[in-house]
Amino acid sequence: MRKQIAAANWKMNLTYQQGEQLIDDIFNAGIHLKEYQQAVFAVPSPYLVMAQSKLSAATNYFVSAQNCYAKKSGAYTGEISAEMLHSIDIKYCVLGHSERREYFSESNQMLAEKITICLEYDITPIFCCGEPLNIREAETQNSYVETQLRESLFRFDDEQLQKIVIAYEPIWAIGTGKTATTEQAQEMHAHVRAALAKQYGGQVANDISILYGGSVKANNAKELFACADVDGGLVGGASLVAKDFIEIIRSLK
Ligand code: PGA
């Protein structure tokens, strides 16, 4: 079974104290994670060390950064590097979230550089892709997402690619309460996997976890995660409420 992941994306929410409480509440719920299941918390940068110290001893719980910069180090005020994340033992980094693409002009090319440096430091990128509403309405979402994959991922070799997690997040479903139907999610996930298979072969494609993101809630996670090519979710709003995210983790296959 490939990795099944429930990833919380807190975005720019919660105080430090609220964040501590949320992690405690979720962790203390005593969820039994199977060996191939993981719970990941993408927390704001100032909370990384706190979250890491709470979860580092726990099996299958991981802390993620929400972004990092493409350069190794230097005069880049305000940025954080993969080397810094590595130095505090962070294993995941969300890259290319649509909010970063939109508000911080992150391009497919820039994301390829960020992925490169994360891999160098043994950090698994959670690479986000997904189409805006006008592309979905024009029914050109498959080629749109394929371009994102090609321009950001297809320069990596088999071994590197297998260290990447993909999150398909249709932009029209993020924070809108408008979830993709299970058919829409499965269709795109299968398309992404087929594109990976074409480039890297079926074996590699089959091993890659592809998460769904966009209004995943406690009451729809189970049916979304049950889709054959959906390997869990990247969850914004519902990850801020302990009982909801607990239910979402419990919905993993
Ligand atoms: P949402 O956000 O669950 O609030 O729609 C998902 C995301 O942006 O990763």
Side-chain angles (χ1 to χ4, degrees):
M1 179 73 109
R2 51 181 174 254
K3 267 186 291 175
Q4 303 292 307
I5 302 171
N9 177 13
W10 290 3
K11 309 191 181 186
M12 199 177 74
N13 291 299
L14 305 177
T15 62
Y16 183 92
Q17 290 76 13
Q18 290 168 331
E20 281 196 297
Q21 187 68 53
L22 182 56
I23 290 182
D24 287 345
D25 289 348
I26 294 167
F27 187 63
N28 293 334
I31 304 167
H32 175 72
L33 291 173
K34 299 199 178 99
E35 155 270 309
Y36 57 85
Q37 295 174 331
Q38 296 186 357
V40 174
F41 295 82
V43 305
S45 308
Y47 309 164
L48 285 167
V49 171
M50 173 274 286
Q52 181 64 11
S53 75
K54 283 186 183 293
L55 297 175
S56 60
T59 310
N60 292 0
Y61 284 80
F62 294 94
V63 178
S64 173
Q66 297 180 6
N67 177 39
C68 75
Y69 198 50
K71 305 286 184 206
K72 194 169 158 54
S73 63
Y76 303 103
T77 302
E79 293 297 326
I80 58 171
S81 69
E83 186 180 40
M84 291 172 187
L85 297 175
H86 178 72
S87 72
I88 54 167
D89 220 19
I90 297 299
K91 300 287 188 226
Y92 280 100
C93 183
V94 176
L95 290 177
H97 190 281
S98 61
E99 288 147 17
R100 298 227 39 107
R101 291 175 186 264
E102 182 180 351
Y103 306 134
F104 302 95
S105 308
E106 295 198 357
S107 64
N108 292 335
Q109 166 61 36
M110 185 192 295
L111 293 168
E113 291 170 26
K114 291 188 176 198
I115 293 169
T116 305
I117 199 147
C118 277
L119 293 176
E120 242 172 71
Y121 284 96
D122 214 18
I123 295 166
T124 296
I126 301 176
F127 172 75
C128 303
C129 57
E131 79 286 354
L133 184 60
N134 63 320
I135 296 290
R136 172 63 64 167
E137 283 173 348
E139 296 178 8
T140 53
Q141 67 272 12
N142 285 0
S143 61
Y144 185 92
V145 169
E146 225 173 297
T147 301
Q148 292 179 318
L149 299 177
R150 191 173 54 248
E151 293 185 358
S152 294
L153 299 188
F154 285 3
R155 66 188 60 203
F156 299 106
D157 64 24
D158 291 21
E159 202 185 321
Q160 290 170 311
L161 193 88
Q162 278 170 305
K163 292 186 181 139
I164 297 171
V165 168
I166 296 174
Y168 166 62
E169 301 203 303
I171 298 171
W172 45 270
I174 296 177
T176 58
K178 193 174 185 302
T179 321
T181 63
T182 49
E183 291 76 21
Q184 286 171 322
Q186 170 54 27
E187 194 179 64
M188 179 58 87
H189 283 233
H191 179 71
V192 168
R193 206 176 299 285
L196 296 173
K198 204 162 146 206
Q199 186 73 15
Y200 293 93
Q203 181 68 52
V204 172
N206 199 44
D207 285 348
I208 307 247
S209 300
I210 308 175
L211 317 185
Y212 168 80
S215 298
V216 174
K217 305 288 176 207
N219 63 8
N220 61 20
K222 204 162 188 90
E223 59 169 353
L224 284 161
F225 298 172
C227 297
D229 286 293
V230 177
D231 305 310
L234 181 57
V235 187
S239 76
L240 302 173
V241 180
K243 73 170 178 20
D244 290 357
F245 196 59
I246 291 166
E247 189 60 36
I248 290 169
I249 300 172
R250 288 196 168 122
S251 302
L252 289 172
K253 313 196 245 291

